[in-house]
Amino acid sequence: MKLNFDESLSLIKRGTAEILPEKELEERLKSGRKLRVKAGFDPTAPDLHLGHTVLLNKLKHFQDLGHEVLFLIGDFTGMIGDPSGKNITRLPLTREQVVENAKTYQAQVFKILNPDKTQILFNSEWLGDKSAADLIQIAGKYTVARMLERDDFYKRYTSNQPIAIHEFLYPLLQGYDSVAMHADIELGGNDQKFNLLVGRELQKHYGQPQQVVITMPLLEGLDGDKKMSKSLNNYIGIDESPDNMFGKIMSISDDLMWRYLELLSFKSQQEIQQWKLETQQGKNPRDIKILFAEEIITRFHSLQDAKRAHENFANRFQKHQLPKEIPEIAVQISENFIPLVNLLKTAGLASGTTDARRLIQNNAVRIDGEKISDADLKIAVNTQHIYQVGKLRIAKISATPTSLRERSSKQSRDTTTDTEDWISSSRKKTRDSQ
Amino acid sequence: MKLNFDESLSLIKRGTAEILPEKELEERLKSGRKLRVKAGFDPTAPDLHLGHTVLLNKLKHFQDLGHEVLFLIGDFTGMIGDPSGKNITRLPLTREQVVENAKTYQAQVFKILNPDKTQILFNSEWLGDKSAADLIQIAGKYTVARMLERDDFYKRYTSNQPIAIHEFLYPLLQGYDSVAMHADIELGGNDQKFNLLVGRELQKHYGQPQQVVITMPLLEGLDGDKKMSKSLNNYIGIDESPDNMFGKIMSISDDLMWRYLELLSFKSQQEIQQWKLETQQGKNPRDIKILFAEEIITRFHSLQDAKRAHENFANRFQKHQLPKEIPEIAVQISENFIPLVNLLKTAGLASGTTDARRLIQNNAVRIDGEKISDADLKIAVNTQHIYQVGKLRIAKISATPTSLRERSSKQSRDTTTDTEDWISSSRKKTRDSQ
C-alpha cells in the first residue's frame, strides 16, 4: 500500500479510541523503521466474532504500512490458573492446550493478518524462567496507589470487594512483556488503557524507549447498544455460515451500519464518505449493507460464498412472499432476554407458549426468513426482527426494554457480570480480577 | 528445668505483649511435643544491645522447657536489596556477607541461646528456588485490603506516601517461611504482629496447623522513655565493656529497674517478687541494681568480669571522693540530644563551650565517674548523670525536655524517622517499607 505520511497517519487513527501520546506515534511513523506492534491475547480457546476483529483490523493497517505485528499469547498466567482458588472455572491450562488454542487462533486471525508480517509469541518464553526474586524486582517498579487508580481495582477496593494481591502482579507482567518484546506500539481495547500504560512505565524503568499506546473502542453488538458478545447473543461469529452473516448484517440499523463500516470495513475512508453523501441524496442504505455483508463474507469465506448468501437472502424473502407492508409490534420486556415462545404469544403470533412451542417443533417459525428449530431460543432486548409463523402470520417485532430508567440500571449490572465474553482487547480486566 | 504446666505457662507468658491465641498456646504446650519456635532476623550485620535480647530471652525460655528454636535469617530479601531503587543505602547483600553476618550473629546469640536446641536457617534455602509463578500462587492467598490494614501501610497510603508493590510481597514471603518451616510458634516484636499473623493465615491456606503468635514489647532505653536504640544513645550493647555495662545499669531509674528485671533477668518471678517486697520494706534499690548488673555482665562476659566491674565502680566513686550532697541541676533541652560542651556550659560547670572542650581534652571531665575523651559527645534527653569537672565542680544533671507537649510531638516524629535502629523484633516494618 503506497500512502503518504498524512494518509498513513489518517489510516492509523481511523476508528481509534485514544493514542497516547499522538506526537510520539507520529515520530515513530516518521522514523521509517519497521515498527514492532504488540497486541496481547488470552490463551483460552478463541472463538472470534466481529467485535474481536476491530483490533485485528488495526493491526492489519500497520502491516499494510510495512510494520511487524507481535501477536502475543499470554500463556504464562493462563497456565497458573486462579491462585486464590475462588474461581473454579479458571483451571490452569496445560502447555498442550495452549498450543492447541494457538493453532485455532492462527487459523482465525490469518483471515485478516498477513502471516509473513506476524510473529506469534508466548510470554511463557521469557516469564517462565523468571524467579521469585525477578518478580520482586519488577514489582518494585510500581506503587500500590497507582495500581489502585485502575478503575476496576478502585471500585472493588472502595466497595470492599476482595482483590487478591497477585492481581496487582498481572498488569506488571503484561507491562514487562512490552520490555521483553521491545514493543514500539501496543494496541488494546479501551478497557485495557491502564495496563497498556503500565507497559510504557516499565519500559522507562528498564531504559527503553516507551511504547505508544493505542486503544480501540469496543464494538457494539447487533442491537447497536451493548458491546458485541456471545453471552448477549448480539454477535456475528467469524466462523458463522455465510447465510447467517448476511442475515445478521442486513438486520442492523442504518446508524450502526456506518459504525461497522468505520471499524470493520477495509473500504477507504474516501469511499465510505462517498456512500454517506449518496445516502443523503436518497440512496437506500440497504444497498450499502449488501456491499458490506459481501465484503465481510468474502473475508471470512469467499467471494463466491458472499454472492450465494446474497442470492439466498433475496430468494428467501421472495419465496416466502413477504408482504410489502409488515405490521410492526413492540414487545416490552423487563429482562435482557425473552423466550421466543413468550414473544410469539405476546405479539399475538401464537395463541400461547405451548402453541408456539409446537409451531417451532413443526418448523413453522422463521426469524428474518430463517427456519427456527430451537424451541428454547431466547430473544435479546433491543433487537428487531421479522417473525413469521406459517405463511400468514408475520410481524416485525421489536423487543424493547420496559422503561429507559430500568434498562439503564440493568445494563450496568450486566456489564459487570458478563464473564463469559471474550472481548476484543487482549487479556481483559475481568480475567485479571478473578 | 523441671516445671509443672502452670509454671511453664507462667514462664512463657512473662513479659509478653500478646499471645494469639492463648488457648492454642496452652494446647501446644500440653501436647508434650517438642515445639518448633520460629523467630526471624535481618541478615544485616548485627550489633546487638539489650533491647534485642528481650526476644532472645523468650526463645531461651522455650529452650529451657525443651523446645527447639528456629533462628531464621531472612537473607532472601536481603540479597535483593531495594528494587525500587529509592533507598541507595539498601544495597543487595552478597551471599558471603550474609554468611559472615550469620557468624557474628551466632557468636552473639549463643551467649543466650543453647546451640544444641537452635537451628540456624536461611530462607533463601526455600525461597531462592521459587519461580515467579510460585510467588504468584502465594500472592493469590491474601488480599490488598487486608494488607492495607497494616498500620504503616495504611498511614502511608492515606498520606500519599508511595508503597512499592514488592512491599506487599515481603510479609507474604515472611509468612511463607512459617509454612516452609512448619512453625508451631512465632515470636516477634509487637510491631511485627501483623506480619506474624500473615504466617498464621498462609499456614491455613497450605493446610497446616496455624502457628501461635507471641509478641514481645520493645524495651525502653536507659532514659526509661523511648525504645532502646543505638541512634538514641540510650542503649547497653552486649559487647560493651563490663565497666560500661555496670555504670549504665547503675544509672537507670528505680522504676525502670523492675522493667529490666522482668524482661532481661533470668531470676525467677518469685525471686523478683521477693525483692519488691524487701524494697517496700526499706531495702536500697541500688543493691538490686548491683545484682542485676552482675547478672548481665556474667552473661555477656564472665562472673569474674562482673565482680571486677563492681569493684571498679565502687573504687571510682570512692577515689574521686564524691561529696555526700551533690547539687541537682535540670537542663531543659529542645532537641533529643545536647552536646556535652553545651550542657556543661548551661549547668555552669564550664565558662563556655570552648572552655568545656579544652577541659574534656585535658581529661578533666567525668560522667558517672568515667573519664570522657570525646569532646563531641552528645547527651540524650531524659538522662541523669553525675558530671564532674576536675575535683571541685560536680553536679547531678538531668537533661529534660523543654515541655511535655513539645517533647511528645517530637517523640512521635522520632519514632517514624528512626531508620538506623536495629529493633529487637525480627525483620522490622521500616525495613519492608523502603
Side-chain angles (χ1 to χ4, degrees):
Chain A
M1 200 186 285
K2 282 282 161 219
L3 298 176
N4 65 30
F5 178 76
D6 285 341
E7 289 166 338
S8 303
L9 186 61
S10 165
L11 176 64
I12 296 298
K13 287 167 73 170
R14 170 174 170 179
T16 55
E18 278 189 280
I19 299 176
L20 304 160
E22 198 168 321
K23 204 169 134 47
E24 287 182 23
L25 172 67
E26 292 180 21
E27 285 165 11
R28 300 268 172 132
L29 288 174
K30 273 183 188 151
S31 75
R33 277 198 303 117
K34 190 195 275 188
L35 300 178
R36 298 170 65 79
V37 183
K38 170 193 173 195
F41 295 85
D42 248 356
T44 44
D47 194 358
L48 303 190
H49 57 59
L50 288 186
H52 306 126
T53 70
V54 169
L55 189 70
L56 297 172
N57 294 346
K58 184 55 63 187
L59 291 172
K60 178 179 152 57
H61 291 158
F62 278 100
Q63 288 185 331
D64 288 345
L65 295 170
H67 303 294
E68 179 154 42
V69 164
L70 310 178
F71 189 97
L72 175 65
I73 296 181
D75 64 332
F76 177 70
T77 51
M79 291 192 289
I80 289 175
D82 173 34
S84 71
K86 275 175 195 147
N87 188 346
I88 51 165
T89 63
R90 280 262 318 281
L91 294 175
L93 297 174
T94 63
R95 180 161 298 277
E96 290 67 36
Q97 286 170 315
V98 166
V99 170
E100 195 54 45
N101 293 342
K103 281 185 198 149
T104 321
Y105 259 125
Q106 294 185 41
Q108 295 184 41
V109 302
F110 286 149
K111 287 178 177 170
I112 296 174
L113 296 181
N114 178 345
D116 296 337
K117 294 176 180 170
T118 307
Q119 276 189 53
I120 308 250
L121 299 170
F122 298 86
N123 63 358
S124 62
E125 226 174 279
W126 49 84
L127 295 178
D129 290 341
K130 287 265 176 282
S131 68
D134 294 331
L135 181 52
I136 289 170
Q137 292 286 359
I138 296 171
K141 312 288 186 242
Y142 212 82
T143 69
V144 169
R146 290 200 58 189
M147 197 58 83
L148 274 174
E149 283 168 13
R150 200 176 88 174
D151 262 5
D152 61 327
F153 283 152
Y154 182 77
K155 278 182 198 147
R156 285 162 66 200
Y157 179 63
T158 50
S159 65
N160 298 317
Q161 301 294 313
I163 304 165
I165 288 171
H166 76 283
E167 297 183 54
F168 273 19
L169 301 176
Y170 283 4
L172 294 173
L173 292 176
Q174 194 173 329
Y176 184 82
D177 289 340
S178 295
V179 174
M181 294 162 73
H182 293 269
D184 286 300
I185 290 170
E186 182 166 6
L187 292 190
N190 57 11
D191 56 344
Q192 282 287 307
K193 178 177 164 186
F194 182 95
N195 290 353
L196 271 46
L197 289 173
V198 174
R200 254 181 88 77
E201 185 71 17
L202 284 190
Q203 283 178 316
K204 188 171 142 197
H205 268 285
Y206 284 86
Q208 291 185 10
Q210 296 178 276
Q211 65 186 12
V212 175
V213 163
I214 299 182
T215 59
M216 298 301 295
L218 300 181
L219 187 72
E220 296 85 351
L222 298 171
D223 50 27
D225 179 15
K226 303 197 191 68
K227 70 173 185 199
M228 184 174 282
S229 85
K230 282 254 151 105
S231 58
L232 293 177
N233 196 25
N234 63 357
Y235 71 103
I236 302 177
I238 70 169
D239 277 341
E240 280 195 63
S241 72
D243 285 342
N244 271 3
M245 283 186 171
F246 204 100
K248 285 184 174 179
I249 289 173
M250 294 308 289
S251 80
I252 64 177
S253 75
D254 297 349
D255 278 350
L256 190 61
M257 175 184 77
W258 297 115
R259 176 79 170 156
Y260 277 24
L261 282 170
E262 185 187 21
L263 292 170
L264 301 174
S265 171
F266 293 156
K267 302 286 181 201
S268 74
Q269 286 163 295
Q270 289 73 12
E271 201 163 350
I272 294 171
Q273 198 50 43
Q274 181 58 32
W275 286 347
K276 271 194 184 158
L277 278 175
E278 291 170 9
T279 311
Q280 279 158 17
Q281 290 158 5
K283 185 185 176 97
N284 191 337
R286 198 196 52 187
D287 298 338
I288 301 173
K289 281 180 211 168
I290 289 172
L291 291 173
F292 175 61
E294 288 184 354
E295 181 191 350
I296 294 296
I297 296 167
T298 303
R299 184 180 307 160
F300 295 108
H301 298 281
S302 68
L303 178 60
Q304 205 183 3
D305 286 327
K307 293 294 176 198
R308 193 178 304 127
H310 184 185
E311 274 170 45
N312 290 347
F313 185 81
N315 287 341
R316 212 159 49 230
F317 273 77
Q318 282 166 8
K319 207 167 74 189
H320 295 295
Q321 296 159 330
L322 288 186
K324 284 265 183 291
E325 297 292 312
I326 298 175
E328 298 198 4
I329 301 173
V331 173
Q332 290 204 331
I333 65 180
S334 60
E335 300 295 323
N336 283 311
F337 302 99
I338 181 171
L340 173 58
V341 292
N342 294 59
L343 186 81
L344 294 175
K345 174 191 165 197
T346 310
L349 296 193
S351 62
T353 55
T354 315
D355 181 40
R357 188 169 291 276
R358 189 187 50 78
L359 287 163
I360 294 166
Q361 279 154 0
N362 292 344
N363 295 319
V365 174
R366 287 171 186 272
I367 301 180
D368 295 336
E370 200 176 333
K371 223 173 262 170
I372 299 302
S373 56
D374 178 4
D376 293 319
L377 189 72
K378 291 187 173 60
I379 306 297
V381 71
N382 283 313
T383 54
Q384 190 185 53
H385 300 284
I386 294 170
Y387 296 80
Q388 289 170 270
V389 176
K391 293 245 147 88
L392 300 174
R393 281 174 275 176
I394 186 162
K396 187 184 260 186
I397 309 178
S398 311
T400 59
T402 41
S403 85
L404 265 176
R405 182 126 175 279
E406 253 191 71
R407 203 178 56 66
S408 119
S409 76
K410 192 163 290 300
Q411 185 184 356
S412 70
R413 202 190 60 205
D414 290 338
T415 314
T416 56
T417 57
D418 176 10
T419 53
E420 281 176 56
D421 187 34
W422 194 103
I423 57 173
S424 68
S425 64
S426 54
R427 283 145 285 171
K428 62 177 169 175
K429 282 188 203 161
T430 49
R431 189 168 171 279
D432 287 348
S433 319
Q434 286 160 355
Chain B
M1 199 187 286
K2 282 284 160 219
L3 297 176
N4 67 30
F5 178 76
D6 285 340
E7 289 167 339
S8 303
L9 186 61
S10 166
L11 177 64
I12 296 299
K13 287 168 74 170
R14 170 174 170 179
T16 55
E18 277 190 279
I19 300 177
L20 303 161
E22 198 169 320
K23 204 169 134 45
E24 287 182 23
L25 171 66
E26 293 180 22
E27 285 164 12
R28 301 268 171 132
L29 289 175
K30 274 183 189 154
S31 75
R33 277 197 302 116
K34 191 195 274 187
L35 300 178
R36 298 171 65 80
V37 183
K38 170 193 173 194
F41 296 85
D42 249 357
T44 44
D47 194 359
L48 303 189
H49 56 60
L50 287 188
H52 306 126
T53 70
V54 169
L55 189 69
L56 297 172
N57 293 346
K58 185 54 64 186
L59 292 172
K60 178 180 153 55
H61 292 158
F62 278 100
Q63 289 185 331
D64 288 345
L65 294 170
H67 303 295
E68 179 154 41
V69 163
L70 309 177
F71 190 96
L72 174 66
I73 297 181
D75 64 333
F76 177 71
T77 51
M79 291 191 291
I80 289 175
D82 173 33
S84 72
K86 276 174 194 147
N87 189 344
I88 51 165
T89 63
R90 280 258 322 277
L91 294 176
L93 297 174
T94 63
R95 181 161 298 277
E96 290 67 37
Q97 286 171 314
V98 166
V99 169
E100 195 54 45
N101 293 342
K103 279 185 199 151
T104 321
Y105 259 127
Q106 293 184 43
Q108 295 185 40
V109 301
F110 286 150
K111 287 178 178 171
I112 296 174
L113 296 182
N114 178 345
D116 297 336
K117 294 177 180 169
T118 307
Q119 276 189 53
I120 307 249
L121 298 171
F122 298 86
N123 64 359
S124 62
E125 226 174 278
W126 49 86
L127 295 178
D129 291 340
K130 286 265 177 282
S131 68
D134 294 331
L135 181 52
I136 289 170
Q137 292 286 358
I138 296 171
K141 313 288 186 242
Y142 212 82
T143 70
V144 169
R146 290 200 58 190
M147 198 58 82
L148 274 174
E149 284 168 12
R150 201 176 85 172
D151 263 4
D152 61 327
F153 285 152
Y154 181 77
K155 278 181 198 145
R156 285 161 66 199
Y157 180 63
T158 51
S159 65
N160 298 317
Q161 300 293 313
I163 305 165
I165 288 171
H166 76 283
E167 297 184 54
F168 273 18
L169 302 176
Y170 283 4
L172 294 174
L173 291 175
Q174 195 173 330
Y176 184 81
D177 288 340
S178 295
V179 174
M181 295 162 74
H182 293 271
D184 286 300
I185 291 171
E186 182 166 6
L187 293 191
N190 58 10
D191 56 344
Q192 282 288 306
K193 177 177 164 184
F194 182 95
N195 290 354
L196 271 45
L197 289 173
V198 174
R200 253 181 88 77
E201 186 71 17
L202 284 190
Q203 283 178 316
K204 188 172 141 196
H205 268 286
Y206 284 86
Q208 291 185 9
Q210 297 177 275
Q211 66 186 11
V212 175
V213 163
I214 300 181
T215 59
M216 299 302 295
L218 301 181
L219 188 73
E220 296 84 352
L222 297 171
D223 50 28
D225 179 15
K226 303 200 191 66
K227 71 174 183 196
M228 184 175 282
S229 86
K230 282 255 151 105
S231 59
L232 293 177
N233 196 27
N234 62 356
Y235 70 104
I236 302 177
I238 69 170
D239 277 340
E240 281 195 61
S241 71
D243 285 341
N244 272 1
M245 282 186 173
F246 204 100
K248 285 185 174 180
I249 289 174
M250 294 309 288
S251 81
I252 65 177
S253 73
D254 297 348
D255 279 349
L256 190 61
M257 174 184 78
W258 297 115
R259 177 79 169 156
Y260 277 23
L261 282 170
E262 184 187 21
L263 292 170
L264 300 174
S265 171
F266 293 157
K267 303 285 182 203
S268 74
Q269 285 163 296
Q270 289 73 12
E271 202 163 347
I272 294 171
Q273 198 50 44
Q274 180 59 33
W275 286 346
K276 272 194 183 157
L277 278 175
E278 290 170 10
T279 312
Q280 280 158 20
Q281 291 157 7
K283 185 186 176 97
N284 191 338
R286 197 196 53 188
D287 298 338
I288 300 174
K289 281 180 209 167
I290 290 172
L291 290 174
F292 175 62
E294 288 184 354
E295 180 190 350
I296 294 296
I297 296 166
T298 303
R299 185 179 306 161
F300 296 108
H301 299 281
S302 68
L303 178 59
Q304 207 184 0
D305 287 327
K307 292 294 177 199
R308 193 177 304 126
H310 184 185
E311 276 170 41
N312 291 347
F313 185 81
N315 287 342
R316 215 164 41 234
F317 274 78
Q318 282 166 11
K319 208 168 73 191
H320 295 293
Q321 297 159 329
L322 287 187
K324 285 266 184 291
E325 296 291 313
I326 299 174
E328 298 199 5
I329 300 172
V331 173
Q332 290 204 330
I333 64 180
S334 60
E335 301 295 323
N336 283 310
F337 303 97
I338 181 169
L340 173 58
V341 294
N342 295 60
L343 186 81
L344 294 176
K345 175 191 164 199
T346 311
L349 296 193
S351 62
T353 54
T354 314
D355 180 41
R357 189 169 290 277
R358 189 186 51 78
L359 286 163
I360 294 166
Q361 280 155 357
N362 292 343
N363 296 318
V365 175
R366 289 172 186 270
I367 300 180
D368 293 336
E370 199 176 334
K371 224 174 260 169
I372 299 302
S373 55
D374 178 5
D376 294 318
L377 188 72
K378 290 187 173 60
I379 305 298
V381 71
N382 283 313
T383 54
Q384 190 185 53
H385 300 284
I386 293 172
Y387 296 80
Q388 290 171 270
V389 177
K391 293 243 149 89
L392 299 174
R393 283 174 272 176
I394 185 160
K396 186 183 259 185
I397 309 178
S398 312
T400 60
T402 41
S403 86
L404 263 176
R405 182 125 175 280
E406 252 191 74
R407 203 180 55 66
S408 117
S409 77
K410 192 163 292 297
Q411 183 185 358
S412 70
R413 202 189 62 206
D414 289 339
T415 314
T416 55
T417 56
D418 176 10
T419 53
E420 280 176 60
D421 187 33
W422 194 104
I423 56 173
S424 69
S425 64
S426 53
R427 282 147 287 174
K428 62 177 169 173
K429 282 189 204 162
T430 50
R431 189 167 172 280
D432 288 348
S433 318
Q434 286 162 355

